[in-house]
Amino acid sequence: MIAICREKSEREGLSPTLFVQPMHELDPPRTYKTIFVCGGFGLGSDRERDVEALHRFYEHLDRGGTLVLDNENPYSSGYPWRYWRKEERSSLPRAREPLESVDRRLGSDGAEYALQSRLVDLDPLEQRATYEMHAGMWRDGELVRQEEHTLHINFYFMNETILLLERAGFTDIVVHAGHREEAPTGDDDFIVFVARKP
Ligand SMILES: C[S@@+](CC[C@H](N)C(=O)[O-])C[C@H]1O[C@@H](n2cnc3c(N)ncnc32)[C@H](O)[C@@H]1O
């Protein structure tokens, strides 16, 4: 993803500083006026590291700087909300479908790719889901490579996230509906937090 971003930037005559760091180890060489976190908070980590990530965002903002962070609500239609209930959880892990049955997408390298996620566990007390991610690569219709990884997702509710942001030092926290400058309602799958470093 970073290589594609670098390629596109160069085509636009831009030379951004691009690097890969886990959010809880974020340590860029400078501070910023604005930090955007889109579609990543709570992914591939644990709550302790998420709290550390918020502190790192705070540390790497200028005074008066802004953090813009989106979050998918735990009850979002894209999330396995039904498995918060004990009766439903007894059916986990979900059945494994053959990788060949998953829709493939053509990559810029001419290979076909597919990604399958399988919910194997949901812990409502820890507000945490565990997925098995299974990726495949095909060339000329032949499966030439596959990978399997475990992905943890930490679920955060709005008021909880506001408390975590406040604990990290942020103030003037405003919550928007999805990616629109409107007050959120219970119908929004995504909400966006705009938080200031005083
Ligand atoms: C759902 S994608 C979102 C990508 C892009 N921001 C967007 O909005 O389309 C999640 C991205 O977050 C990255 N990511 C997940 N967990 C992370 C972590 N703990 N630290 C840093 N990046 C992480 C993944 O590598 C992936 O690129």
Side-chain angles (χ1 to χ4, degrees):
M1 194 180 268
I2 292 291
I4 293 170
C5 186
R6 186 169 280 115
E7 217 179 279
K8 286 190 175 172
S9 311
E10 278 159 12
R11 276 207 297 276
E12 306 279 332
L14 305 169
S15 51
T17 309
L18 299 171
F19 50 88
V20 176
Q21 285 176 335
M23 286 182 254
H24 67 280
E25 292 172 4
L26 188 72
D27 192 20
R30 51 165 288 191
T31 60
Y32 298 85
K33 195 160 172 277
T34 310
I35 293 179
F36 288 92
V37 182
C38 188
F41 187 65
L43 283 190
S45 63
D46 56 35
R47 297 179 75 84
E48 204 181 321
R49 287 187 281 182
D50 292 341
V51 166
E52 176 58 23
L54 294 178
H55 284 287
R56 300 245 170 178
F57 302 147
Y58 185 87
E59 271 166 37
H60 288 93
L61 276 171
D62 300 337
R63 289 244 155 260
T66 305
L67 171 68
V68 182
L69 178 141
D70 76 349
N71 186 50
E72 185 166 1
N73 289 313
Y75 46 83
S76 152
S77 51
Y79 271 160
W81 181 240
R82 58 190 268 230
Y83 293 102
W84 286 61
R85 298 182 49 233
K86 194 163 59 180
E87 309 76 50
E88 297 283 350
R89 265 198 318 286
S90 54
S91 66
L92 291 178
R94 298 191 60 180
R96 190 179 180 139
E97 287 163 41
L99 195 54
E100 284 67 21
S101 70
V102 181
D103 289 346
R104 298 177 205 167
R105 291 171 65 180
L106 188 61
S108 55
D109 60 357
E112 287 183 299
Y113 295 89
L115 181 64
Q116 178 186 53
S117 63
R118 181 170 79 113
L119 183 65
V120 287
D121 183 43
L122 192 144
D123 182 340
L125 188 64
E126 287 299 329
Q127 299 173 210
R128 185 176 165 86
T130 305
Y131 287 88
E132 178 195 271
M133 306 302 286
H134 193 187
M137 174 185 179
W138 289 259
R139 280 204 180 281
D140 307 320
E142 190 196 340
L143 180 62
V144 291
R145 193 166 161 208
Q146 50 187 315
E147 288 180 21
E148 222 172 273
H149 300 278
T150 298
L151 174 69
H152 295 292
I153 298 183
N154 304 315
F155 299 120
Y156 291 96
F157 293 90
M158 180 184 75
N159 294 318
E160 176 188 16
T161 310
I162 291 172
L163 288 173
L164 289 175
L165 288 165
E166 287 170 348
R167 213 168 69 175
F170 290 99
T171 61
D172 308 324
I173 299 165
V174 179
V175 187
H176 294 295
H179 300 92
R180 312 180 307 279
E181 282 203 58
E182 288 167 27
T185 71
D187 298 339
D188 291 299
D189 282 347
F190 280 84
I191 52 178
V192 172
F193 300 84
V194 179
R196 204 168 69 80
K197 175 176 179 173

